[in-house]
Amino acid sequence: QLESYKLPEIEPLLQDSGSLLDDDMENSVAEIAAFGDYCLVTIDVCSSMNNKCVLYNLKEKTVCVLENCYYCPTGTSVDSRAENHILEFYSEKTESFRVYSLDNKGQLTPILERPMWDSYIVTDGDSLVYLDAAKKQLYNIWL
């Protein structure tokens, strides 16, 4: 073990049960992902259906809470030496996927918003390829 961290932002999200109708329901950690100096924890908030993502910069000891979204792994791991990490979130409000680039300085930059169906992305950390199957178009985005 290199280091241990307390995650004080997570505990209140897990304890807040709101006005749950079913006693068996509770908030839970739905996803955890690590990339570079970052750790992302997705909390499934059952009472409101408004999931939250908590993004930690473990090197700088900073945190950012993203509301009303759900982290979706892109299927490609990017190691800590990459300059950009691709984060994709499902937005419950727009019912679409929002794709962001997170650089090693902590800058979260929106790249694109894509529909829920008939679109796919893959990345290697240097570029992102986006297939819009409905429009039959393929895009290459350099990061």
Side-chain angles (χ1 to χ4, degrees), residues 7-67:
L7 304 177
E9 296 80 10
I10 300 290
E11 188 175 348
L13 295 175
L14 292 174
Q15 291 176 348
D16 177 24
S17 59
S19 58
L20 296 178
L21 300 175
D22 187 348
D23 289 338
D24 293 337
M25 292 178 66
E26 59 184 31
N27 297 350
S28 61
V29 173
E31 179 83 33
I32 185 167
F35 35 88
D37 294 330
Y38 298 93
C39 174
L40 182 88
V41 180
T42 301
I43 305 296
D44 185 5
V45 182
C46 295
S47 63
S48 64
M49 300 303 289
N50 292 325
N51 296 318
K52 298 180 187 326
C53 291
V54 184
L55 180 64
Y56 291 96
N57 181 322
L58 300 174
K59 186 176 182 180
E60 302 292 328
K61 309 277 194 284
T62 57
V63 65
C64 174
V65 177
L66 307 167
E67 302 281 339

Side-chain angles (χ1 to χ4, degrees), residues 45-125:
V45 182
C46 295
S47 63
S48 64
M49 300 303 289
N50 292 325
N51 296 318
K52 298 180 187 326
C53 291
V54 184
L55 180 64
Y56 291 96
N57 181 322
L58 300 174
K59 186 176 182 180
E60 302 292 328
K61 309 277 194 284
T62 57
V63 65
C64 174
V65 177
L66 307 167
E67 302 281 339
N68 302 318
C69 64
Y70 197 92
Y71 172 68
C72 303
T74 60
T76 303
S77 297
V78 177
D79 70 29
S80 60
R81 296 168 293 202
E83 291 187 26
N84 298 290
H85 308 284
I86 303 302
L87 304 178
E88 185 173 27
F89 299 98
Y90 175 71
S91 172
E92 295 167 342
K93 289 188 176 188
T94 62
E95 295 184 350
S96 63
F97 292 99
R98 293 184 178 172
V99 182
Y100 296 86
S101 171
L102 176 67
D103 67 21
N104 287 327
K105 295 175 185 160
Q107 182 69 37
L108 193 63
T109 306
I111 298 176
L112 63 93
E113 186 169 345
R114 67 183 188 88
M116 189 170 167
W117 308 108
D118 293 332
S119 64
Y120 309 91
I121 65 166
V122 293
T123 183
D124 64 0

